[in-house]
Amino acid sequence: YRNVQVFRPGWLETTEQTETPTPPPDGSSRTFTARFPLARRPRIFIDGVEVLPSDIGVNGLDGPGTKKWFFSRQSPQVSQDTYEPVLPVGTTLELIYTGLYNRIFVKEKEDEIAARKHIEGGSGRWESYEDKATIDDFSAADQYLSGLLRKYGSIANKITFRTQAHGLRAGMVIPVDKPSRGITGDFLIEAVTGRADGPGLMIYNVKAIDGEVVGGWVDFFRSLVIKSRDFAIRDNEYVSMVQDLAEPDMESIGDAVSTYNANPPFQYITSSGNIIYGRWQWLA
């Protein structure tokens, strides 16, 4: 359970940056530093003339003498190859690039904090920390953070009741409908104990837990079954992304149109004055 989620994703990308790196060309420096670490190959301009992308290599991948400039992902520096003439004083050096930055996200469920504070006293804050370096998009990080709070930001209702009904056992999911007590939904039986209550009679004490915090017990167990299946894309297979497309309704046209004996383009004017172009299609 947590009502405060702290989350650190991987590197996030900035918008496109345009800046003059430091230090300015001084006749001796070959390494220049931008404000942010680089996400990918930058664009480099010397006195307004762009260096060809093919002349910008990756440190450790492209060897000396093979490129004019070098960069590394997650490094703010670009460096000039030692075989190139050093940039003299007064040269204008400019970078256009996408940078990387770190951010820690914090999200709270104020209603849950207030509820815990009322019940337990203190601050009412239950905090949890998680990081996931594979998430490198701001929107995805925010959605993941919200999902963690939706999943773990509520304490499940636990109920106990007594019954003379036979056949209940731990692991069963049963419906409970007591709206007057605010209890409605499917509950998972955790434990069942029984005692004799006269000749031929048994009283059972049942403990059950609400499945709302996991999206419902049916969906919860279904997800466990699905996760247990191995899935692999084999040789000569491909993945097709399927999307539903809504086709707009056709517009009813009452205007007269010119007809032709051949197959040239035609046009008509709608009631709103728009000119629509088309082409005849002869079916027979």
Side-chain angles (χ1 to χ4, degrees):
Y1 170 77
R2 76 283 307 263
N3 51 38
V4 179
Q5 181 66 58
V6 182
F7 176 59
R8 184 201 297 270
W11 289 97
L12 302 177
E13 293 190 357
T14 67
T15 56
E16 187 176 78
Q17 306 291 308
T18 300
E19 65 182 64
T20 301
T22 57
D26 54 13
S28 61
S29 298
R30 292 184 180 273
T31 299
F32 307 91
T33 304
R35 287 191 304 145
F36 296 97
L38 305 178
R40 58 185 65 91
R41 178 187 289 112
R43 298 174 65 190
I44 302 175
F45 294 82
I46 301 175
D47 288 334
V49 179
E50 183 172 5
V51 176
L52 294 175
S54 58
D55 288 333
I56 304 174
V58 180
N59 273 320
L61 182 63
D62 299 300
T66 61
K67 304 291 181 179
K68 295 181 179 180
W69 289 84
F70 295 91
F71 81 100
S72 296
R73 176 176 165 83
Q74 298 181 8
S75 170
Q77 295 180 336
V78 294
S79 57
Q80 189 183 26
D81 188 76
T82 55
Y83 292 94
E84 291 294 311
V86 69
L87 298 180
V89 175
T91 302
T92 300
L93 179 63
E94 186 178 62
L95 295 181
I96 298 179
Y97 69 100
T98 300
L100 297 171
Y101 69 99
N102 289 121
R103 171 172 290 185
I104 296 177
F105 293 78
V106 180
K107 204 162 194 173
E108 303 177 354
K109 293 188 72 174
E110 295 182 358
D111 55 338
E112 284 289 326
I113 294 175
R116 291 296 98 200
K117 185 175 182 180
H118 177 73
I119 295 171
E120 303 165 356
S123 68
R125 297 170 62 89
W126 288 57
E127 297 184 1
S128 179
Y129 169 82
E130 185 165 338
D131 59 65
K132 200 172 186 68
T134 56
I135 294 181
D136 56 5
D137 177 76
F138 184 94
S139 178
D142 183 64
Q143 292 177 16
Y144 185 78
L145 178 65
S146 299
L148 290 174
L149 277 182
R150 283 196 304 270
K151 184 174 183 179
Y152 301 112
S154 299
I155 295 179
N157 291 321
K158 290 190 176 183
I159 63 172
T160 59
F161 62 90
R162 289 182 296 176
T163 179
Q164 292 181 335
H166 301 289
L168 297 179
R169 59 186 181 274
M172 293 179 62
V173 176
I174 58 173
V176 178
D177 187 19
K178 287 290 183 181
S180 60
R181 294 181 176 269
I183 302 174
T184 302
D186 291 330
F187 281 71
L188 176 70
I189 296 179
E190 287 188 310
V192 179
T193 58
R195 62 177 176 83
D197 190 38
L201 297 177
M202 290 288 294
I203 291 290
Y204 299 99
N205 293 309
V206 182
K207 293 182 180 180
I209 184 171
D210 188 6
E212 181 179 357
V213 294
V214 291
W217 289 117
V218 174
D219 291 337
F220 173 75
F221 287 116
R222 181 186 293 118
S223 68
L224 294 182
V225 173
I226 293 174
K227 288 179 181 178
S228 66
R229 300 173 182 171
D230 292 331
F231 177 82
I233 299 177
R234 296 183 291 271
D235 291 343
N236 300 321
E237 287 187 326
Y238 63 91
V239 177
S240 296
M241 303 301 294
V242 181
Q243 295 182 335
D244 292 328
L245 300 177
E247 187 171 331
D249 294 335
M250 298 296 291
E251 181 181 358
S252 297
I253 302 299
D255 300 287
V257 297
S258 300
T259 59
Y260 301 88
N261 295 323
N263 188 25
F266 68 90
Q267 70 181 48
Y268 60 89
I269 302 178
T270 66
S271 58
S272 57
N274 295 321
I275 299 178
I276 307 298
Y277 296 92
R279 181 175 293 277
W280 298 106
Q281 180 180 4
W282 304 104
L283 301 179

